[in-house]
Amino acid sequence: MIGKNLTFGKSEEKLLREKDRSMTRNKIIAGNWKMNMTPSEAVTLLETLKPLLHNDEVEVVFGVPAIDIIPVVEACKGTNIKIAAENMYFEEKGAYTGEISPGMLVDAGVRYVILGHSERRTYFHETDEDINKKVLKAFEHGLIPIMCCGESLKQRKQGITMDWIRQQVKVGLQNVTADQAKIAVIAYEPIWAIGTGIAATNVQAEEICKEIRECIAEMYDTNTAQKIHILYGGSVNADNAAGLFIMEDIDGCLAGGASLKQDFGKIVNYK
Ligand code: PGA
């Protein structure tokens, strides 16, 4: 009986291999340039960074200001680099002065869209409901949302980190199907770690990313939870990236400051 269990037939072996592959999430290493880089500076930075990226196993994404999208997409032609927008509106077109539609992003060659970054929540008063509308619209147009969530220092001290994040995730993904959730990306970005130089430790980040995955399993099923990508963001740099990436539930990062420097190359080539 034991022997039988240890010997797999060809088709079982294939199934196991496939299962194994589907359980392994590739890493996504994303940069968030925020409101930095004019179009010409953006192209110069891209040309500096491109030769430094030597890891074909990871998906490299640059989140760039809207005005930089077209020249940056052009500069990335012939590479595997994907471009993300840093925001988008949830309407198709019309009288929304200053906004950018999902169709415009797709036409410009954008693949991902960062949604609900804490800076947008704080400075532009975006709510979970707004973010949910944007997430649904992104999927409708074939864009992959990188939906951000994360607690403030006050909330962490109050012990309500996970209550807060669960709400952000549950409302943000309302009416998102399991098939869509499987390809979605969630970025856990504690507000106290963003731009402060004080990153969460890999243990702290893993604890929350694991709980986010459990939340996805409750909302959908374990298969969806195994497929969704969960990134960590907040003062990621060349020194702490590898330690974060070895954690089971951390599937990469959203790096701000470090994505504007040559350090980003070291983060991508973390092993
Ligand atoms: P940081 O920013 O890496 O500069 O802390 C991360 C982010 O805001 O996405």
Side-chain angles (χ1 to χ4, degrees):
M1 196 61 197
I2 289 170
K4 190 163 187 277
N5 273 348
L6 286 175
T7 335
F8 297 111
K10 279 245 168 332
S11 58
E12 277 157 310
E13 254 171 29
K14 189 165 170 258
L15 249 176
L16 282 173
R17 265 204 316 276
E18 272 166 13
K19 183 162 172 272
D20 196 45
R21 249 204 317 273
S22 67
M23 300 291 280
T24 321
R25 298 174 297 271
N26 65 329
K27 294 270 186 278
I28 297 176
I29 299 188
N32 176 11
W33 286 1
K34 309 193 179 188
M35 198 176 76
N36 294 295
M37 300 289 128
T38 65
S40 54
E41 286 168 350
V43 171
T44 305
L45 178 61
L46 235 297
E47 296 303 342
T48 310
L49 292 179
K50 269 193 312 194
L52 306 177
L53 312 176
H54 303 297
N55 187 352
D56 292 338
E57 285 172 26
V58 306
E59 171 107 321
V60 177
V61 180
F62 284 105
V64 306
I67 199 163
D68 297 345
I69 288 173
I70 290 174
V72 163
V73 165
E74 190 60 34
C76 289
K77 284 221 169 101
T79 75
N80 290 326
I81 297 169
K82 305 287 191 304
I83 300 307
E86 296 179 11
N87 182 32
M88 128 203 144
Y89 199 45
F90 52 73
E91 293 290 352
E92 297 286 341
K93 57 156 70 179
Y96 305 102
T97 302
E99 291 297 318
I100 292 187
S101 75
M104 292 171 185
L105 296 181
V106 171
D107 190 62
V110 167
R111 184 83 188 100
Y112 291 84
V113 55
I114 300 171
L115 295 174
H117 190 282
S118 67
E119 287 149 17
R120 295 216 56 86
R121 293 175 188 260
T122 305
Y123 303 134
F124 305 101
H125 315 293
E126 286 193 12
T127 64
D128 289 331
E129 286 74 15
D130 297 329
I131 293 154
N132 176 238
K133 286 185 198 161
K134 294 181 178 190
V135 166
L136 291 169
K137 235 347 155 200
F139 278 124
E140 221 179 275
H141 286 263
L143 291 162
I144 301 175
I146 301 177
M147 188 180 82
C148 303
C149 60
E151 82 288 4
S152 64
L153 190 57
K154 187 171 172 207
Q155 288 166 326
R156 178 160 277 258
K157 285 186 175 155
Q158 288 170 330
I160 58 166
T161 295
M162 252 345 271
D163 300 317
W164 176 253
I165 291 173
R166 276 175 173 273
Q167 162 145 340
Q168 290 183 316
V169 171
K170 287 193 170 174
V171 178
L173 294 182
Q174 217 150 53
N175 298 321
V176 168
T177 66
D179 282 342
Q180 291 170 332
K182 279 178 191 143
I183 54 166
V185 181
I186 294 178
Y188 166 55
E189 298 206 304
I191 296 169
W192 48 270
I194 296 176
T196 59
I198 306 165
T201 65
N202 59 357
V203 174
Q204 282 174 322
E206 167 66 15
E207 185 190 0
I208 305 299
C209 292
K210 188 182 172 64
E211 290 213 44
I212 293 172
R213 204 176 297 287
E214 280 166 13
C215 176
I216 298 295
E218 282 162 30
M219 291 170 69
Y220 299 96
D221 50 67
T222 47
N223 181 30
T224 306
Q226 281 307 317
K227 295 242 163 76
I228 197 166
H229 277 78
I230 305 176
L231 314 182
Y232 166 78
S235 297
V236 173
N237 59 39
D239 295 327
N240 60 23
L244 288 158
F245 299 161
I246 53 167
M247 306 309 274
E248 195 178 331
D249 292 290
I250 301 178
D251 304 320
C253 69
L254 183 56
S259 70
L260 294 161
K261 299 189 290 194
Q262 303 208 354
D263 264 23
F264 192 71
K266 293 192 190 139
I267 298 176
V268 169
N269 314 330
Y270 69 98
K271 58 173 183 188

